Amino acid sequence: MTISADHAAPGQTAQGRQSPDPIEEPRTEGPVAEAVRKFGITAEDYMLPARHQIQMVDQDGNLKPHSEQGAEPGHEYPVPGDEELLAAYEQLVVGRRVNDQNSALVRQGRMAVYPSSHGQEACQVAAALCLSEGDWLFPTYRDSVAVMTRGVDPVQTMTLFRGDWHSGYDPAKHKVGIQCTPLTTQLLHAVGVAHAAKLRGEDTVVLAMCGDGATSEGDFHEALNFAAVFHLPVVFFVQNNQYAISVPLAHQSVAPSLAHKAVGYGMAGERVDGNDVVALLAVLDRAVKLAREGSGPLLVEAHTYRMQAHTNADDATRYRQDSEVAQWVARDPLTRMRTYLTDKGLLDGDGESRIAEKAEAVATQLRNGLNEDVPVDPQDLFRYVFSTPTPQLKEQSALLADELARDASAGASTNPESAK
């Protein structure tokens, strides 16, 4: 059934086709209707993703002709500016170095775990760069590069993965939610912040990141449905890296694409090459702009690939072949962008050296910061649970304090020198 736009003649769709009985015709209202009028297309064409994923630069680093980029009416994207592209490339290089450095730190025992985004850095960088200062980012556990690109200190970003009890950074200061390990809970947090911002009349857009596995969770449905019903300025950004740990996408969903899920909630969806940072910036920039203008929430699906294991505790060879990984290595977002910028005359040897030095400085900062011993106060177990401790917490805290005092006394008696 075709959903006709408000501007179409009675009994006809915007393309002039005869529509079904008007009594059965769904009514298009609110932000979707406004977007439909703006682009001059049907609501169906607005909400459904373009027939082909948006790709501007091919895997060899060549800018594709506009007619081959996947654009359609209502789904058209200009190439981002040179400065934006250079800034994105710099963050790509830094992100790759951070991923590789953190994997080494895990092997050295300086970090407890690290979910690498090696190969997905284009998604990470574009997600952060498309936002304004007052916007919010809600990342997953794999989105450390996005958190850093947003401006969070690298060592603070990795604090969670060294096993500390807190996230390492102030979410309110940076407008970056805590990296969530429970799957999909960050989408509900994102919707809540967007709702509060709308009630306050703030000019705020929220970008909520998740993976393809998250789309199988109930929280995904609840977040998208709430955001659509209340017309909230949220961009849901799905990084489809083909696997939910070891489960391939084909075993999770038989929808034409994850972006097609958007129409079921009454929002617009789009598919984009997740290894093409040029296309990612174009699509996400437009999505954020539409959300800020009042078009309601949008869903963007990026096709990418996790080149390394799920985490250092995962053996990816048990569920995928090396030949499959090799195919995606050829689509590496970093080498693709380097070729594009070099051929365009925007990047030379001096620029590469400067960027590499910055990336190495960040890696050094991580090594030094994560090598420092962190003072541990066992009373923190109780200090930050509630603003007003419960009687049970007070009792437990007192028991711990007594035990620590007895241990200290026993240690002093067996080592007289330490008591001096």
Side-chain angles (χ1 to χ4, degrees):
M1 180 181 293
T2 299
I3 304 174
S4 62
D6 288 356
H7 67 277
Q12 288 189 332
T13 67
Q15 289 82 8
R17 296 190 297 267
Q18 190 66 29
S19 69
D21 187 340
I23 296 177
E24 299 178 2
E25 190 72 9
R27 182 173 174 79
T28 304
E29 298 177 332
V32 170
E34 291 299 320
V36 163
R37 280 191 285 269
K38 177 178 180 179
F39 293 112
I41 57 177
T42 66
E44 183 181 52
D45 288 338
Y46 170 72
M47 289 187 287
L48 286 172
R51 291 169 179 79
H52 302 283
Q53 73 170 359
I54 305 302
Q55 184 191 70
M56 293 182 161
V57 175
D58 64 24
Q59 70 180 49
D60 296 322
N62 302 311
L63 183 66
K64 302 177 70 172
H66 185 268
S67 60
E68 298 177 11
Q69 293 178 7
E72 297 176 358
H75 301 263
E76 296 176 320
Y77 303 94
V79 176
D82 292 346
E83 290 187 8
E84 186 178 11
L85 296 180
L86 280 170
Y89 176 71
E90 180 174 299
Q91 293 300 328
L92 278 178
V93 175
V94 172
R96 177 62 55 85
R97 185 67 185 91
V98 164
N99 275 320
D100 294 345
Q101 179 63 77
N102 286 342
S103 295
L105 290 170
V106 170
R107 293 192 296 270
Q108 296 166 12
R110 302 189 196 183
M111 293 177 66
V113 66
Y114 183 65
S116 176
S117 61
H118 186 117
Q120 294 181 220
E121 291 95 348
C123 294
Q124 305 278 300
V125 169
L129 293 183
C130 72
L131 298 174
S132 298
E133 184 178 351
D135 296 334
W136 272 82
L137 175 73
F138 280 85
T140 73
Y141 52 79
R142 196 177 302 283
D143 298 328
S144 298
V145 172
V147 174
M148 289 175 47
T149 304
R150 186 72 174 141
V152 179
D153 178 86
V155 176
Q156 290 184 0
T157 301
M158 304 308 161
T159 294
L160 182 69
F161 301 108
R162 73 186 301 173
D164 285 4
W165 60 269
H166 58 85
S167 70
Y169 57 87
D170 181 354
K173 175 183 178 181
H174 298 283
K175 291 185 168 52
V176 177
I178 295 172
Q179 292 184 258
C180 287
T181 300
L183 205 60
T184 327
T185 54
Q186 74 278 4
L187 300 190
L188 298 175
H189 305 159
V191 169
V193 167
H195 193 204
K198 182 176 181 180
L199 292 175
R200 294 170 179 163
E202 297 172 353
D203 182 25
T204 299
V205 173
V206 178
L207 189 141
M209 305 178 74
C210 69
D212 49 289
T215 65
S216 300
E217 295 286 321
D219 286 353
F220 179 84
H221 161 77
E222 293 166 10
L224 269 68
N225 193 58
F226 189 95
V229 169
F230 288 92
H231 312 312
L232 302 181
V234 184
V235 176
F236 296 98
F237 184 38
V238 181
Q239 296 176 84
N240 177 4
N241 65 14
Q242 316 304 316
Y243 289 94
I245 306 182
S246 60
V247 181
L249 182 63
H251 293 172
Q252 298 181 67
S253 174
V254 292
S257 76
L258 297 178
H260 277 79
K261 294 178 180 288
V263 70
Y265 301 98
M267 67 175 71
E270 193 67 284
R271 293 177 295 173
V272 60
D273 182 346
N275 286 16
D276 177 5
V277 72
V278 179
L280 280 163
L281 287 170
V283 170
L284 289 174
D285 282 348
R286 177 179 181 269
V288 168
K289 181 175 182 292
L290 287 173
R292 200 182 309 281
E293 292 175 348
S295 294
L298 301 97
L299 173 64
V300 175
E301 176 192 4
H303 292 258
T304 185
Y305 196 77
R306 166 172 54 81
M307 292 188 192
Q308 298 181 345
H310 176 70
T311 69
N312 52 290
D314 174 42
D315 180 7
T317 62
R318 298 180 63 182
Y319 54 85
R320 68 184 189 185
Q321 302 297 317
D322 290 344
S323 57
E324 177 183 311
V325 179
Q327 292 176 5
W328 282 90
V329 170
R331 307 172 190 173
D332 191 313
L334 195 152
T335 54
R336 182 189 303 195
M337 193 61 176
R338 179 189 297 126
T339 300
Y340 173 73
L341 292 175
T342 301
D343 291 348
K344 198 176 179 183
L346 297 174
L347 184 67
D348 57 18
D350 291 340
E352 280 275 35
S353 298
R354 178 188 60 79
I355 293 172
E357 289 175 3
K358 178 178 179 179
E360 193 56 44
V362 174
T364 301
Q365 182 182 357
L366 281 169
R367 289 195 302 272
N368 294 339
L370 295 176
N371 197 39
E372 295 179 359
D373 291 331
V374 178
V376 177
D377 183 354
Q379 286 294 347
D380 285 346
L381 288 168
F382 313 103
R383 188 171 289 129
Y384 301 108
V385 180
F386 297 109
S387 57
T388 302
T390 64
Q392 293 85 355
L393 285 176
K394 291 180 180 179
E395 180 182 358
Q396 293 169 18
S397 176
L399 288 172
L400 177 60
D402 179 66
E403 183 175 346
L404 292 173
R406 285 188 280 108
D407 286 349
S409 177
S413 64
T414 58
N415 185 11
E417 291 297 321
S418 66
K420 294 181 179 179

